[in-house]
């Protein structure tokens, strides 16, 4: 039965399962468990400082435990991996082990809790190479194109759950009176063009020439080579940035920089870039390292980090082209600022 003309999450999952007659329902059950964890986290986050009682676990630990408590018992998972924690965790006895692997960031943007700003949860689901067995270290190292589901929850004025099973990207809003996720944003689409970009300018001294070139051109505005004025954003939450881009377009840059020569980027490939990449691509956008499509990368380690650029296709493709040209000519010379650029050090 439709409520107010909208499907709820359960109805949506049933329809998705009907697209695949051989499906057993385990993936639907796992997503339902994840959605329950997100409801619990939403309730905790909504309490703000009232939920930070010194005698109770911190909200960040509560969020991680909410994921594990909700998902480990149902027999759908062989193991799970929390962002920033190594190694991964096999499903413990006496729970049965299933055929999926869950990677999650329980509370993205946790630093925003103190200022009552955007936070969220992010997750990715992979197939376990051997259902029912303890996952090996290499079982987790699958490219983003192997994901069977990805999604996030955003805890804001309205709590939203955004999902993709490889057939578009769809948004659900939590109805606080019904306690149900209602389909509010079916088939989200990222516009190909945008006049909005998000980047942490405090790291500008470490940017590669291609990124400096792109940002300089955007900041030059209508009088520059782009012939248009751009707005710059930065929320310090990957989930919140993704949500904004899905709803109104834009491009997000957390590029490879020179702060640590041993690290290719700041964001984790398996726990952050891959799920966001799937959601963005299924909505018509692009997700890249600046050099390669994110979802084609073969992971080398569970907690591997990458540079990450995603959003409106025209802008991401432009940035990739600038990286290619950087390799060809060895650098970028701004017509106004020489090699320095607007943000480069003197």
């Amino acid at each position: 039965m439709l409520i107010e003309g909208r499907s709820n999450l359960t109805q949506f999952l049933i329809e998705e399962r009907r697209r695949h007659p051989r499906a057993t329902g385990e993936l639907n059950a796992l997503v339902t468990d994840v959605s329950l964890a997100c409801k619990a986290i939403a309730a905790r986050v909504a309490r703000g400082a009232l939920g930070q009682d010194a005698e109770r676990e911190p909200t960040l630990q509560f969020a991680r435990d909410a994921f594990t408590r909700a998902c480990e018992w149902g027999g759908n998972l062989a193991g799970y991996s929390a962002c920033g924690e190594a190694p991964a965790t096999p499903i413990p006895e006496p729970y049965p082990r299933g055929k999926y692997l869950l990677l999650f960031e329980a509370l993205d943007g946790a630093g925003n809790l103190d200022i009552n700003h955007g936070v969220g949860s992010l997750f990715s689901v992979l197939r376990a190479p051997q259902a029912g067995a303890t996952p090996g270290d290499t079982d987790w190292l699958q490219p983003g194109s192997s994901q069977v589901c990805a999604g996030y929850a955003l805890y804001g004025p309205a709590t939203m759950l955004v999902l993709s099973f490889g057939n578009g990207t769809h948004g659900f809003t939590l109805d606080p009176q019904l306690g149900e996720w209602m389909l509010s944003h079916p088939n989200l689409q990222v516009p190909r063009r945008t006049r909005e970009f998000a980047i942490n300018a405090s790291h500008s001294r470490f940017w590669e020439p291609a990124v400096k070139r792109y940002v300089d051109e955007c900041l030059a505005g209508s009088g520059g080579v782009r012939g248009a004025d751009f707005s710059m954003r930065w929320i310090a939450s990957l989930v919140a940035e993704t949500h904004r881009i899905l709803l109104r377009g834009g491009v997000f840059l957390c590029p490879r920089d020179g702060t640590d020569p041993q690290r290719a980027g700041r964001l984790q490939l398996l726990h952050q870039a891959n799920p966001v990449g799937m959601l963005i691509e299924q909505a018509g956008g692009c997700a890249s390292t600046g050099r390669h499509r994110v979802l084609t990368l073969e992971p080398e380690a569970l907690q591997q980090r990458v540079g990450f650029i995603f959003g409106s296709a025209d802008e991401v493709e432009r940035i990739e082209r600038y990286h290619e040209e950087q390799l060809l000519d060895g650098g970028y010379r701004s017509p106004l600022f020489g090699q320095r650029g607007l943000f480069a050090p003197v």
Side-chain angles (χ1 to χ4, degrees), residues 54 60 186 249 258 298 322:
L60 182 58
E298 294 288 344
Y322 287 178

Side-chain angles (χ1 to χ4, degrees), residues 21-107:
R22 298 178 62 183
T24 60
E26 292 166 271
L27 180 58
N28 285 7
L30 174 58
V31 171
T32 299
D33 290 342
V34 169
S35 75
L36 178 61
C38 294
K39 285 183 184 179
I41 298 168
R44 177 62 174 261
V45 169
R47 296 192 66 208
L50 302 179
Q52 300 287 348
D53 192 311
E55 297 182 2
R56 300 182 63 189
E57 58 189 334
T59 299
L60 182 58
Q61 185 61 44
F62 175 91
R64 185 200 180 283
D65 291 346
F67 264 85
T68 58
R69 286 194 298 262
C71 300
E72 69 181 1
W73 65 276
N76 306 306
L77 287 179
Y80 59 85
S81 172
C83 186
E85 297 182 12
T89 305
I91 296 301
E93 299 289 349
Y95 302 128
R97 290 180 182 155
K99 62 182 182 182
Y100 294 107
L101 303 173
L102 177 68
L103 302 104
F104 63 87
E105 184 174 17
L107 201 60

Side-chain angles (χ1 to χ4, degrees), residues 22 43 58 110 141 174 210 262 268 284 314 316 338:
R22 298 178 62 183
L141 305 184
L174 182 62
Q262 303 301 316
Q268 295 204 5
D314 283 1
V316 176

Side-chain angles (χ1 to χ4, degrees), residues 80-283:
Y80 59 85
S81 172
C83 186
E85 297 182 12
T89 305
I91 296 301
E93 299 289 349
Y95 302 128
R97 290 180 182 155
K99 62 182 182 182
Y100 294 107
L101 303 173
L102 177 68
L103 302 104
F104 63 87
E105 184 174 17
L107 201 60
D108 167 68
N112 288 335
L113 286 171
D114 291 342
I115 58 172
N116 197 23
H117 202 15
V119 295
S121 300
L122 189 60
F123 67 92
S124 168
V125 181
L126 300 167
R127 292 189 188 277
Q130 189 174 355
T134 300
D137 291 345
T138 59
D139 291 349
W140 300 88
L141 305 184
Q142 302 180 40
S145 56
S146 296
Q147 293 174 107
V148 294
C149 177
Y152 66 78
L154 177 67
Y155 313 118
T159 298
M160 288 195 65
L161 180 69
V162 178
L163 298 171
S164 179
F165 293 89
N167 184 39
T169 297
H170 312 279
F172 301 79
T173 300
L174 182 62
D175 186 320
Q177 294 180 323
L178 297 173
E180 289 279 0
W181 298 103
M182 308 303 296
L183 181 60
S184 54
H185 296 74
N187 294 306
L188 288 163
Q189 290 292 307
V190 178
R192 282 196 62 89
R193 297 183 177 89
T194 185
R195 292 293 179 262
E196 192 168 271
F197 69 101
I199 193 167
N200 185 351
S202 68
H203 296 149
S204 60
R205 64 193 182 279
F206 302 116
W207 292 342
E208 293 182 294
V211 175
K212 292 179 181 179
R213 174 184 178 184
Y214 178 78
V215 174
D216 282 352
E217 290 180 354
C218 291
L219 293 179
S222 57
V225 297
R226 298 298 305 273
D229 294 322
F230 283 73
S231 297
M232 185 165 66
R233 302 283 184 260
W234 187 253
I235 306 175
S237 164
L238 181 59
V239 167
E241 299 280 8
T242 303
H243 193 71
R244 177 175 51 77
I245 288 171
L246 281 171
L247 264 63
R248 73 183 193 195
V251 63
F252 170 93
L253 300 94
C254 188
R256 180 173 185 165
D257 59 41
T259 55
D260 184 351
Q262 303 301 316
R263 191 172 67 180
R266 295 176 178 272
L267 296 179
Q268 295 204 5
L269 173 61
L270 291 167
H271 300 78
Q272 297 175 310
N274 276 348
V276 169
M278 181 177 182
L279 293 164
I280 290 293
E281 285 197 1
Q282 286 295 315

